[in-house]
Amino acid sequence: METGPDSLFVTLLFLLHSSHSESEKFEVLGPTDPIVVVAGDDIILPCYLKPNISAEDMTVDWLNLDFLDGRVYRYQNRKIIQDNQITSYTGRTSLFEEELWRGNTSLKLTRVQGTDEGLYKCFIKAKSWDHDLIIQVLVKAVGSKPVVSIEGHREGGMGLLCESEGWHPQPELVWLDSKGVHLSAGPPETHRDFKGFYTVKQHVIVQETDTNRFTCRVQQSLINEKMETEVHLPSELFDYTTPWKRTSIVLCCLGAITMIGFSLAICCIHNKKGNVDMI
Ligand SMILES: *[C@@H]1O[C@H](CO)[C@@H](O)[C@H](O)[C@H]1NC(C)=O
Ligand SMILES: *[C@@H]1O[C@H](CO)[C@@H](O)[C@H](O)[C@H]1NC(C)=O
């Protein structure tokens, strides 16, 4: 065995060469099935190099393909690059930097929200080679129990409003009678907040039934979730005589005041005429 400086040089050269050719070709691997995540949780988006060479001197880019501009995360020149980060990801992303040396470029995303849903690209670039992986992330959020409010008499029935918030994906709202029959309701109103969660609401006008029970159901079949609230309206609410009586009384009063006014006016005119006669 030679142990001179020449052989050391050859060994070094060999090591350098092999590490260089290794860093030239790699695959980026990760899950092939979509990742389903519950809103509010922290998740890891797995991504790693095969062979498991170091990514410490590579550029690691995480992108959400739904956003045309900006990045979820960038690691380059052994530093985290904050420029051009999509604002909704600020303060919620990190790599496992202690894992980079063995080719683990998984992303940690905290407090998952609706806007995080989408296709993510894990893109790894070495000096003369790059490769990427696409991961689908689905965000699931079950909204609040629907809140039903009574809006009063409307077009010959009773107006009700149902509202539920915090859903993802966008849910469907239906109004049902006590037999589970769909009631025809007003147009559904949907609002998406800045975190990407949906609020739905819908007005309905119900007629008196033998039970006076009505249900508002908010459901999302993709995530197989539903929330519902049943209301029982006392039948007195449907009693139309009360407001009618009130209206009659008001009309009667108005009539009486008008009559008194008329009488007074006639009296005055009569008196004036009398005065004129007297002159
Ligand atoms: C790299 O992978 C090999 C086998 O694929 C394994 O034996 C080795 O422990 C891994 N190295 C690291 C640092 O994870
Ligand atoms: C990468 O690191 C994370 C955090 O330690 C770990 O959960 C994950 O299993 C690692 N992935 C691989 C492929 O080693």
Side-chain angles (χ1 to χ4, degrees):
M1 281 274 261
E2 285 182 74
T3 49
D6 276 2
S7 76
L8 189 64
F9 181 71
V10 168
T11 312
L12 268 176
L13 207 62
F14 174 77
L15 279 176
L16 279 172
H17 179 76
S18 65
S19 80
H20 179 71
S21 60
E22 255 185 334
S23 75
E24 263 182 15
K25 288 203 172 181
F26 54 82
E27 272 186 283
V28 178
L29 299 179
T32 48
D33 290 338
I35 298 182
V36 179
V37 50
V38 175
D41 282 1
D42 297 349
I43 48 161
I44 294 174
L45 301 185
C47 180
Y48 55 92
L49 302 185
K50 186 189 164 199
N52 53 6
I53 52 174
S54 171
E56 285 173 304
D57 291 306
M58 299 183 187
T59 298
V60 178
D61 268 333
W62 277 94
L63 307 166
N64 179 335
L65 300 181
D66 288 351
F67 291 80
L68 296 175
D69 289 322
R71 287 181 291 261
V72 173
Y73 195 89
R74 169 170 274 188
Y75 171 90
Q76 193 174 41
N77 299 326
R78 293 182 173 246
K79 283 198 292 280
I80 300 161
I81 310 293
Q82 306 274 14
D83 304 349
N84 223 353
Q85 188 183 38
I86 301 163
T87 49
S88 62
Y89 289 100
T90 307
R92 297 195 298 124
T93 51
S94 54
L95 292 187
F96 299 95
E97 289 185 57
E98 72 285 0
E99 292 270 336
L100 286 174
W101 70 277
R102 53 198 198 101
N104 184 349
T105 55
S106 304
L107 181 81
K108 183 173 182 187
L109 178 59
T110 59
R111 303 185 304 281
V112 167
Q113 56 188 52
T115 49
D116 294 341
E117 181 159 299
L119 292 176
Y120 285 75
K121 184 189 259 191
C122 171
F123 177 76
I124 317 283
K125 190 174 179 343
K127 281 192 183 65
S128 54
W129 181 258
D130 61 63
H131 200 239
D132 63 66
L133 165 83
I134 292 183
I135 303 173
Q136 187 179 11
V137 174
L138 301 172
V139 175
K140 165 178 165 165
V142 182
S144 60
K145 190 172 160 64
V147 174
V148 173
S149 42
I150 300 172
E151 298 190 292
H153 293 276
R154 295 275 188 285
E155 298 163 26
M158 182 58 59
L160 302 176
L161 171 67
C162 177
E163 191 165 356
S164 172
E165 58 180 24
W167 287 86
H168 200 281
Q170 183 176 340
E172 180 197 15
L173 189 159
V174 288
W175 275 102
L176 308 165
D177 67 11
S178 58
K179 297 184 187 77
V181 176
H182 283 218
L183 298 170
S184 73
E189 296 167 45
T190 306
H191 169 75
R192 195 174 191 211
D193 70 14
F194 75 101
K195 287 188 172 179
F197 297 115
Y198 293 93
T199 294
V200 284
K201 57 179 169 181
Q202 195 168 28
H203 297 265
V204 71
I205 295 168
V206 296
Q207 305 298 330
E208 188 166 15
T209 66
D210 48 352
T211 58
N212 280 337
R213 289 182 190 280
F214 304 97
T215 298
C216 171
R217 177 182 296 161
V218 180
Q219 57 196 15
Q220 175 32 271
S221 50
L222 289 175
I223 59 173
N224 197 23
E225 295 285 355
K226 70 175 177 190
M227 293 288 261
E228 59 183 42
T229 298
E230 190 193 59
V231 282
H232 176 223
L233 303 181
S235 64
E236 297 83 73
L237 268 183
F238 290 94
D239 189 356
Y240 295 95
T241 57
T242 319
W244 169 239
K245 269 185 199 154
R246 210 179 294 140
T247 316
S248 318
I249 290 164
V250 171
L251 283 178
C252 283
C253 288
L254 278 178
I257 291 166
T258 316
M259 289 305 285
I260 293 166
F262 257 120
S263 317
L264 285 175
I266 289 167
C267 275
C268 281
I269 291 167
H270 195 76
N271 278 346
K272 274 197 185 151
K273 269 197 186 150
N275 290 346
V276 171
D277 284 350
M278 275 167 71
I279 293 168

